[in-house]
């Protein structure tokens, strides 16, 4: 916020006389906007945050886009069929037939998204990272059991050898 020559506060804009008389002319643009990288004590307008969910795989995203387009066209056809039926137009019968066919294709497209996703997950797997301490505890218990089995096996085999 700056104060103009008339004593009125101006939000974000600096008049030409004040800009020339101050050092702000070097650090501010034509309209007096603040550079986000300068150390002015101001926060940037937004901050990048990591995505909540990872991106869909390319084949899955392609199938999803295709399905959305087909479903949108099907809904438009259904609306045309409905309105032309209300109007008593000759276009009503062909529009209803094409809407029925398009509904079958749209159902197939939505199923294609699901199948493509399942196939992609099966081929490429899901990269999971342990999110709870329960998994780590189970791992430790498994290690302890394995270690116990090894020790009991090693101890038994020494006893058997000594007895023989």
């Amino acid at each position: 916020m700056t104060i103009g020559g008339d004593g009125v506060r101006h939000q974000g804009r600096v008049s030409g006389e004040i800009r020339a008389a101050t050092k702000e002319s070097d650090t501010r643009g034509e309209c007096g906007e603040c550079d986000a990288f300068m150390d002015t004590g101001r926060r940037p307008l937004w901050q990048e945050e990591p995505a909540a969910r990872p991106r869909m795989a390319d084949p899955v995203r392609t199938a999803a886009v295709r399905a959305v387009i087909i479903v949108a066209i099907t809904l438009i056809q259904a609306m045309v069929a409905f309105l032309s039926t209300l109007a008593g137009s000759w276009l009503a019968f062909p529009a209803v037939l094409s809407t029925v066919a398009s509904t079958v294709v749209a159902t197939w497209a939505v199923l294609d998204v699901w199948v493509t996703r399942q196939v992609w997950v099966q081929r490429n797997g899901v990269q999971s990272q342990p999110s709870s301490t329960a998994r780590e505890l189970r791992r430790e218990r498994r290690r302890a059991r394995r270690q116990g089995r090894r020790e009991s096996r090693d101890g038994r085999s020494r006893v058997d050898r000594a007895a023989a």
Side-chain angles (χ1 to χ4, degrees), residues 114-134:
W114 182 69
V115 169
T116 305
R117 182 182 173 278
Q118 296 296 327
V119 168
W120 190 89
V121 167
Q122 187 175 12
R123 287 184 182 164
N124 301 311
V126 176
Q127 298 158 354
S128 63
Q129 298 171 350
S131 59
S132 69
T133 56

Side-chain angles (χ1 to χ4, degrees), residues 89-162:
S89 171
W90 63 270
L91 189 63
F93 184 68
V96 168
L97 288 181
S98 70
T99 301
V100 170
S102 187
T103 302
V104 172
V105 172
T107 305
W108 186 265
V110 171
L111 281 174
D112 181 47
V113 174
W114 182 69
V115 169
T116 305
R117 182 182 173 278
Q118 296 296 327
V119 168
W120 190 89
V121 167
Q122 187 175 12
R123 287 184 182 164
N124 301 311
V126 176
Q127 298 158 354
S128 63
Q129 298 171 350
S131 59
S132 69
T133 56
R135 291 182 186 173
E136 190 59 37
L137 292 173
R138 283 192 301 241
R139 279 193 197 113
E140 289 176 12
R141 276 186 266 158
R142 266 188 249 128
R143 284 187 202 125
R145 274 187 298 206
R146 287 184 198 135
Q147 189 67 26
R149 281 191 227 128
R150 283 188 200 126
E151 290 172 0
S152 66
R153 211 177 333 141
D154 292 343
R156 236 187 294 134
S157 61
R158 288 184 188 149
V159 172
D160 292 339
R161 288 181 193 156

